[in-house]
Every structure is written in structure tokens, then in C-alpha cells.
Amino acid sequence: MAILVLGGAGYIGSHTVYELIDAGRDVVVADDLQTGFRAAVHPKARFYLLDIRDRAALDVLFEKEDIEGVIHFAASSQVGESMSDPLKYYDNNLHGTMVLLSAMVAHGVDKIVFSSTAATYGEPERVPILEGDRTDPTNCYGETKLAMEHMMSWVSKAHGLHYVALRYFNACGAHRSGAIGEAHAPETHLIPLILQVPNGQREKIMVFGGDYPTPDGTCIRDYIHVSDLAQAHILALDYLIRGGQNDVFNLGNGVGFSVREVIDCARNVTGHSIPEEMAPRRAGDPAQLIASSRKAMDVLGWKPEQNSLEAIIASAWNWHKSHPHGYEA
Ligand code: UFG
């Protein structure tokens, strides 16, 4: 039987497909290439170009392939865009998941691992954040992801769907082979933007806010390597296959780094001075986001392996310096 990875041409999806294939699994990828890249899809995966809102295309796939479980990454994921174009997020994320779940129910596919986010929490009540803490998203992206979690829960009650939602903190880094890595257009994430400076594509990095209530005044985030995230999806799917209960898990390293610390670390890794400039706060940024991933460790047996920021940035740098234009290089 095969694992269906929806959004398997995107950043975290493509890394999960590589880990699944390395583990000897049979993998089917579906992606509409809205933000993903055909070149990111592992050559051993069977590829379907489809939009998950297209029920007829999903029916063809589920009839043709023998699917054991689904890993669902197919969603829009830019916080800023979700605020200026919220209906796109309701359509791609919520409507897309609705069509997907209805197709799964119709074809008797009952296991799904779902890509959720720390943005479901909004401004945290405390750090490290636990899964049972208040969820009160401050942006439409987080709102749609939380609603997708709720949708799975109701479909589970009605139709026996089994699901795990994985709430990631700040995904970063690239695959050890150097074959795939992070490529967004436009790029909004801190580490790839910092690395554009030593790559000669940007003069300096802007620091969004130096007056947060943190030791150096800049925002603190929990940076987690994409390959560690990928492993968690495989563990979550195997947990469901073994009969595990529906659940939600945080995925982070449990250690926070400030924007300034990340820039300093990138200076050490690249040997470049990387000039920085202070800019106003970016709307909607919480001061600190740090995960407690205790539950994923205890229940799923997850253990992030790349927990040094230096190793994470070195792996990102390895990708960006050899692919300065992402998959177009
Ligand atoms: N930052 C800068 N300068 C930049 C870019 C980012 O100072 O040029 C700062 C941001 O203000 C933030 C930190 O770097 O404090 C990290 O920003 P990212 O954009 O890399 O990541 P976010 O923490 O905003 O977002 C991540 C995920 C989202 C998810 C969110 C949860 O990318 O998908 O965490 O809050 F929704």
C-alpha cells in the first residue's frame, strides 16, 4: 500500500517524501504546483498534478492507487498574505480540506496526518507552549489551520476518520543530500532572507522590532530542522496505523533563539559580516514562541536530531549557496 503526500512538492512535503522513500515506503505525491516545484518531488514517487479542491481528480487518484494513509501539506501558508487575502485561505485551506476529507470518506481511506502550525496559538499564555494551551490565532492563516483541525475532529466523530495534527514551530534547514531545500516566492522567512546577504542577493537583513520584552529586544522563535519535522510525520502515520488515538502534537526543539542570535549564528556559519538594520515591528508577531514537544517525544517516540542552530543554518546555507534561485538555478 502507498502513502499519499498532498503538497509533496512543497518545502516540508518534499522533505517528508525523501524520508519516506529512504525508509522504503511506496509514495504517491499530489500537488498543484501553485507554490511547490516539480523538481522537488523525489524521482521514485508517483506524481499527480492536481488541486485538492478538484474532487473528480481525487476520485481518479483514490481509484487508481491503493492508499493506506494521507499526509496533508497542501495549503497556503503565508501569514501576511492571509491577512490581505483571507478568502484565498478559506478556499485553498478549508474548502480544499473539506473536498479531500469527503473523498477520503467516500473511498474508505481513514488515516490522515495533518500539517498544522504554532500560529493556531496566537499570542501564547506562557512558554514553552503545551498542546492544551489556549488557541486564539492572530492571523487568518492560523485561523484556517485551527478550523481544519476542528473539521477533522468532527469528521472523525461522524465517519471514523483517524487523525494526527502536527503543530510546527519555525521550520528551517535543508536535506542532507543538498538536492532539496527551502524555496518560497516571495521569501518571507528569516533564515533564507539572512542567507541572501552572503549570497549577494540582498545588502542587509532588516530586524523587525528591537523593543520586545526579550533579553535583546528581538523576537524569540523555536527553530526546528525540516528533516526532523519530516520524521515526525512518519512516526505519526505509523502511530495511526498501530491504532493510535486522534491527537495534536507540537513540534519544536524547545529552545528559543532571538532574531539577533540567528543573525550572529549565520555570520559564524558563512564567515560573512551580514549587515543588519533595525525596522519597525511586523504586525502580528508574538514576542516569543517556544514549543514543549514532550508529548511528541513521549507518545510518538520523536527525537529531533539536528538541535544545534549552527547545524541547522549550515544545512540551509549548503542549499542556498548552491541554489541561489531555488529550483530555477
Ligand atoms: N524577521 C525579521 N526580519 C525578516 C524576517 C523575519 O526580523 O526579514 C523576524 C520576524 O519578525 C520573526 C522572526 O524573524 O520575529 C521569524 O520570522 P519568520 O517569518 O521566519 O517566521 P514566523 O515566526 O513569523 O512564522 C513561522 C512560520 C509560519 C507560522 C508562524 C507561527 O513560518 O508559517 O511561525 O507563528 F505561522
Side-chain angles (χ1 to χ4, degrees):
M1 291 184 95
I3 309 301
L4 171 60
V5 182
L6 298 160
Y11 174 42
I12 306 172
S14 61
H15 284 77
T16 302
V17 172
Y18 268 63
E19 298 300 331
L20 281 164
I21 285 176
D22 262 12
R25 311 294 273 263
D26 187 24
V27 182
V28 173
V29 168
D31 199 299
D32 68 355
L33 303 183
Q34 233 186 95
T35 52
F37 299 90
R38 183 66 183 86
V41 179
H42 195 292
K44 286 190 179 156
R46 290 188 293 292
F47 180 70
Y48 289 74
L49 180 65
L50 66 79
D51 184 321
I52 57 167
R53 292 167 296 185
D54 182 348
R55 175 62 194 270
L58 282 176
D59 283 339
V60 170
L61 188 157
F62 282 119
E63 270 154 31
K64 232 169 132 183
E65 303 284 350
D66 189 11
I67 301 298
E68 183 173 25
V70 172
I71 308 184
H72 176 25
F73 298 97
S76 299
S77 64
Q78 286 177 34
V79 171
E81 183 190 53
S82 80
M83 299 302 279
S84 56
D85 192 1
L87 294 174
K88 175 175 175 181
Y89 281 68
Y90 278 88
D91 188 11
N92 260 348
N93 296 3
L94 267 178
H95 176 216
T97 301
M98 188 195 87
V99 176
L100 168 66
L101 295 185
S102 65
M104 287 177 66
V105 170
H107 292 272
V109 177
D110 68 352
K111 293 174 197 67
I112 183 167
V113 175
F114 168 68
S115 159
S116 190
T117 170
T120 52
Y121 294 108
E123 190 69 53
E125 295 172 286
R126 56 170 172 180
V127 291
I129 302 170
L130 292 167
E131 289 82 352
D133 287 355
R134 183 191 60 204
T135 47
D136 186 12
T138 52
N139 55 62
C140 181
Y141 164 65
E143 183 72 41
T144 58
K145 287 275 175 163
L146 187 60
M148 290 151 87
E149 289 187 9
H150 294 160
M151 191 192 296
M152 288 188 300
S153 162
W154 292 111
V155 174
S156 172
K157 288 181 182 52
H159 302 290
L161 181 79
H162 304 286
Y163 73 91
V164 162
L166 299 174
R167 294 180 179 159
Y168 329 138
F169 284 63
N170 288 62
C172 47
H175 194 259
R176 53 197 168 276
S177 65
I180 54 171
E182 187 165 9
H184 296 114
E187 188 52 75
T188 60
H189 295 101
L190 180 64
I191 292 176
L193 286 174
I194 293 174
L195 295 175
Q196 286 179 0
V197 182
N199 242 356
Q201 298 162 302
R202 172 179 297 273
E203 265 177 36
K204 60 193 171 202
I205 183 76
M206 308 305 286
V207 177
F208 296 150
D211 57 351
Y212 284 96
T214 59
D216 68 14
T218 67
C219 285
I220 292 178
R221 293 289 180 274
D222 183 337
Y223 294 89
I224 178 77
H225 196 279
V226 64
S227 299
D228 283 325
L229 289 180
Q231 288 299 344
H233 291 77
I234 302 177
L235 291 168
L237 189 69
D238 288 341
Y239 160 86
L240 289 178
I241 292 170
R242 286 196 308 274
Q245 298 293 306
N246 298 338
D247 216 334
V248 177
F249 299 94
N250 286 339
L251 298 177
N253 267 314
V255 184
F257 292 96
S258 71
V259 171
R260 279 233 169 83
E261 286 172 323
V262 175
I263 298 170
D264 268 342
C265 185
R267 289 181 178 127
N268 289 336
V269 168
T270 62
H272 190 285
S273 59
I274 312 184
E276 64 180 67
E277 190 177 309
M278 192 53 69
R281 288 182 177 198
R282 191 173 65 177
D285 273 346
Q288 274 201 69
L289 289 173
I290 301 172
S292 164
S293 302
R294 195 67 268 157
K295 189 170 154 191
M297 292 174 186
D298 291 347
V299 178
L300 301 178
W302 183 60
K303 194 175 177 306
E305 278 170 9
Q306 309 208 41
N307 44 18
S308 105
L309 184 62
E310 206 147 88
I312 289 174
I313 294 181
S315 95
W317 180 227
N318 184 39
W319 158 257
H320 288 291
K321 75 179 172 210
S322 55
H323 297 79
H325 305 290
Y327 290 98
E328 269 123 58

